[in-house]
Amino acid sequence: MIKKRIIVCLDVKDGRTTKGVKFQNNIDIGDPVEMAAEYYRQGVDELVFYDIIASARGRGPILDLISKVASQVFIPFCVGGGIGTIEDIRSTILAGAEKVSLNSQAVKNPGLITEGARIFGNQCIVLGMDVRKDPTKPSGYGTTIHGGRVDTGLDALEWAKKGVSLGAGEIVLNSMDADGTKNGYDIELTRMISENVNVPVIASGGGGTPEHLADVLKEGKADAALIATMVHSGKYTVGGIKEDLKKSGVAVRL
């Protein structure tokens, strides 16, 4: 049985870890290097590092900070935010990341997915999607960029399929409606994307309890669940969440 992954997300702004609700009212919650080391100690399967303002400010990734985080963790490490060229991908991987997440830049330049996959391998290229409910779209969901500030006009399901056909080896699927609410993942959205692409789908947005993770991993058919607020608040540890998931019948790495 393929084990489900638990991934901790560090949203980074101006070199500090930050957390908001639905991408707004962000507050400083700590040093990303120290936090990465702590989650590695707790047994997290992977780490995702998002520079949440890089694309909006038109700059590339913060390589020295990426390198410092990479030096603390010996697990797959994915970096997103401001990666707009092949050179950005190369420098991010050389700084210590195993994967790069392309979101705003992938929408603006879909060829970056294909070229990145050709040079570095599909396993290195993750399609990041910030998705909102939109009744005008065929799937009922639309895609946004720049941290949810810009509507792309793209249907979420169509963009997911296209991203995979272009070469993305994984999707991080973030529900903007659920983000930071701790009320549970968007099961319907996650299941729809998971059933229609042949690459792993990571559910993101809304995780508040171990039950929420169990629901999205089982009912939503996600391959992994991304968490942030749950562990940043200190209410849960990665190890504790995994124990609860195991009791719920979810296969995880302990």
Side-chain angles (χ1 to χ4, degrees), residues 107-126:
V107 170
K108 293 176 183 175
N109 176 18
L112 186 62
I113 301 173
T114 306
E115 191 69 354
R118 184 182 69 77
I119 296 171
F120 304 103
N122 300 62
Q123 78 287 346
C124 287
I125 307 299
V126 178

Side-chain angles (χ1 to χ4, degrees), residues 30 44 49 87-88 92 103 141 169 189 234 238:
V44 74
F49 171 112
E87 196 42 56
D88 287 338
T92 300
N103 188 326
Y141 292 89
L189 168 66
V238 174

Side-chain angles (χ1 to χ4, degrees), residues 4-23:
K4 304 285 189 176
R5 291 171 286 151
I6 306 304
I7 302 172
V8 168
C9 177
L10 300 174
D11 284 333
V12 177
K13 180 181 179 185
D14 298 324
R16 299 283 292 174
T17 308
T18 182
K19 195 67 196 112
V21 176
K22 300 184 181 181
F23 285 41

Side-chain angles (χ1 to χ4, degrees), residues 169-210:
E170 193 166 67
I171 292 174
V172 172
L173 181 66
N174 186 42
S175 164
M176 299 284 301
D177 303 297
D179 182 77
T181 63
K182 298 182 279 186
N183 293 329
Y185 298 87
D186 188 326
I187 305 291
E188 184 185 345
L189 168 66
T190 309
R191 186 191 303 119
M192 175 181 69
I193 302 294
S194 296
E195 287 179 343
N196 282 282
V197 296
N198 60 354
V199 299
V201 173
I202 300 164
S204 171
T209 68

Side-chain angles (χ1 to χ4, degrees), residues 16-55:
R16 299 283 292 174
T17 308
T18 182
K19 195 67 196 112
V21 176
K22 300 184 181 181
F23 285 41
Q24 295 183 339
N25 304 319
N26 286 67
I27 55 167
D28 183 318
I29 56 172
D31 174 26
V33 181
E34 290 173 7
M35 292 173 76
E38 172 58 21
Y39 294 132
Y40 176 65
R41 192 187 65 74
Q42 288 184 19
V44 74
D45 297 310
E46 294 187 23
L47 200 68
V48 173
F49 171 112
Y50 284 131
D51 187 326
I52 62 170
I53 53 172
S55 285

